[in-house]
């Protein structure tokens, strides 16, 4: 606000425009930071409908040219909150990539809880080759898994498409969600 007030008081157009441009950049940076902070928060849908329900809601919001199928055990044990958030974020990024970039018609999201939390997102799109751009999304999925001591791999399927597989450990001192 101070810079906008200062810009308003300037009679020289170049000074005024420079202050406005600087303020615009600072506002953009602030918005990006708020988005990053919000993105790191726990998605409310997990508490409202559980992890599988939240994944199904996300898949539904992305449906269009791609048919999403989300499967998993109905009543698995409560999970550490960090595992739920990481799994949701990894699956969301993978599904978004399928919807935007893969050319797929089908995507299957599978959850398995058996000693560890396993998430698999596979599609029937064109897959990846050495020319595929591997952006921040791929990096963020791997980093989210690694932060919990897990792993996230992204591989091409021989028949076409990609498989994103995240394995997250369930051992934690963190309280589990119910």
């Amino acid at each position: 606000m101070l810079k906008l007030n200062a810009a308003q008081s300037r009679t020289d157009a170049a000074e005024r425009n420079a202050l406005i441009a600087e303020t615009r950049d600072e506002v953009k940076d602030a918005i990006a930071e708020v988005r990053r902070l919000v993105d790191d928060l726990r998605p409310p849908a997990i508490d409202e409908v559980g992890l599988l329900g939240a994944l199904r809601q996300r898949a539904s919001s992305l449906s269009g040219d791609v048919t999403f199928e989300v499967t998993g055990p109905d009543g698995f044990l409560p999970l550490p909150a960090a595992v739920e958030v990481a799994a949701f974020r990894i699956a969301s990024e993978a599904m978004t990539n399928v919807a935007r970039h893969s050319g797929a018609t089908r995507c299957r999201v599978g959850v398995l809880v058996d000693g560890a939390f396993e998430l698999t997102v596979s599609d029937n799109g064109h897959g990846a080759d050495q020319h595929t751009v591997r952006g921040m999304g791929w990096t963020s999925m791997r980093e989210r898994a690694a932060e919990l001591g897990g792993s996230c791999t992204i591989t091409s399927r021989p028949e076409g498409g990609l498989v994103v597989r995240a394995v997250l450990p369930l051992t934690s001192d963190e309280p589990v969600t119910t």
Side-chain angles (χ1 to χ4, degrees), residues 64-69 98 102-108 122-126:
D65 296 334
V66 181
T67 300
F68 289 92
E69 175 189 6
V98 170
S102 73
T105 58
R106 300 194 57 76
C107 177
R108 183 173 187 279
S122 58
D123 68 74
N124 68 347
H126 51 71

Side-chain angles (χ1 to χ4, degrees), residues 43 57 60 81 92 118 149 158 162 165 168 174 178:
Q57 286 180 354
S60 178
S92 291
E118 296 183 37
L162 289 178
R165 183 171 182 265
L168 307 174
E174 176 188 355
T178 54

Side-chain angles (χ1 to χ4, degrees), residues 97-113:
N97 287 343
V98 170
R100 289 185 183 164
H101 308 297
S102 73
T105 58
R106 300 194 57 76
C107 177
R108 183 173 187 279
V109 180
V111 169
L112 176 65
V113 180

